Amino acid sequence: MTVAKQLVVDGWEVYEDDPKTDAGARTIALDSDTVQALRRHRAQQDKDREEWGSAWVETGRVFTKENGEILHPANVTRRFIELYEEIGLPPIRLHDLRHGAATLAHAAGADLKDIQEMLGHSSITITADTYTSLLPEADLAIAEAAARLVPRARPDFKEAAPEGEPEPGKSEGSSPEPVPDGAERSGERLGHGVPAHAPLTQTAPDEESGAE
């Protein structure tokens, strides 16, 4: 789709003008579903043109009234409000659809430069300041992807005994040894004051001398 002109409202009068900036005149890629919808719309518009005959007003526009006249922006906004009220959506401005499109594009993987060109901003700073909100799902996906880039050391665990077989040093049905009063529970500390989670290569300190 090529954006070449814009409609400007002055009071109630509408006139055509060039985009505000050179970046505003741009070509935008459309997805296949949108292209199909536009083709169906054009077929209906061609049918309307035939039915109206000489009374058809040729404006060359894609979206028009049934007789080809231009749609007033205020009437488009009014119809938009009617539609979201009919289906129970929260009230938003018609212009917010632009922000929503930018957010979805960002969530789909478009970077800020892509979004700048899509929206026709003259500066990427405008895009960065205005259109950097993310969907929660995309935000989480980015966090997970970034975390996967960081190498992490994995602790070495003893291979668990196969199901149904006793662990080494234990017999089936044996109960844990009694713990003397005042001693720390197994799992919190092991013999010689070594923490249960200490690496296996650590040398336990000598209790009398304190040397390792």
Side-chain angles (χ1 to χ4, degrees):
M1 177 181 69
T2 299
V3 179
K5 296 291 182 180
Q6 67 174 356
L7 294 181
V8 180
V9 180
D10 182 11
W12 186 254
E13 295 299 318
V14 180
Y15 65 91
E16 188 180 86
D17 197 3
D18 294 328
K20 290 183 293 184
T21 64
D22 291 339
R26 61 203 185 277
T27 299
I28 302 172
L30 300 176
D31 63 276
S32 57
D33 288 342
T34 299
V35 171
Q36 291 299 321
L38 288 172
R39 285 175 175 167
R40 291 193 298 269
H41 173 73
R42 183 168 62 180
Q44 179 61 50
Q45 193 176 52
D46 290 341
K47 183 180 178 180
D48 292 339
R49 182 184 289 106
E50 291 178 4
E51 291 177 354
W52 281 83
S54 60
W56 173 264
V57 180
E58 188 59 65
T59 61
R61 299 192 175 278
V62 176
F63 301 105
T64 65
K65 297 179 181 179
E66 290 183 357
N67 66 344
E69 292 179 356
I70 67 169
L71 294 169
H72 195 287
N75 291 333
V76 175
T77 298
R78 184 180 300 111
R79 180 57 182 154
F80 177 73
I81 294 172
E82 292 172 355
L83 288 173
Y84 74 63
E85 287 180 344
E86 286 176 7
I87 57 181
L89 289 176
I92 61 172
R93 300 173 306 161
L94 180 61
H95 187 76
D96 291 335
L97 297 183
R98 175 179 167 91
H99 179 72
T103 303
L104 289 172
H106 198 287
D111 59 27
L112 288 180
K113 185 63 178 176
D114 296 328
I115 296 173
Q116 176 199 354
E117 294 177 357
M118 180 181 75
L119 298 175
H121 286 159
S122 59
S123 168
I124 198 170
T125 304
I126 300 173
T127 313
D129 289 344
T130 311
Y131 294 96
T132 53
S133 62
L134 293 175
L135 297 175
E137 294 84 355
D139 205 6
L140 178 60
I142 290 174
E144 294 288 356
R148 285 195 295 271
L149 297 177
V150 181
R152 285 180 170 79
R154 301 297 182 186
D156 293 328
F157 294 102
K158 290 182 179 180
E159 187 175 348
E163 189 175 349
E165 295 184 15
E167 294 182 16
K170 290 187 179 181
S171 60
E172 272 190 57
S174 62
S175 58
E177 295 181 2
V179 180
D181 292 338
E184 294 177 321
R185 295 290 177 184
S186 173
E188 296 174 356
R189 305 283 288 185
L190 298 179
H192 301 290
V194 182
H197 58 272
L200 298 179
T201 56
Q202 179 176 330
T203 304
D206 187 289
E207 291 186 55
E208 294 181 0
S209 66
E212 293 188 355

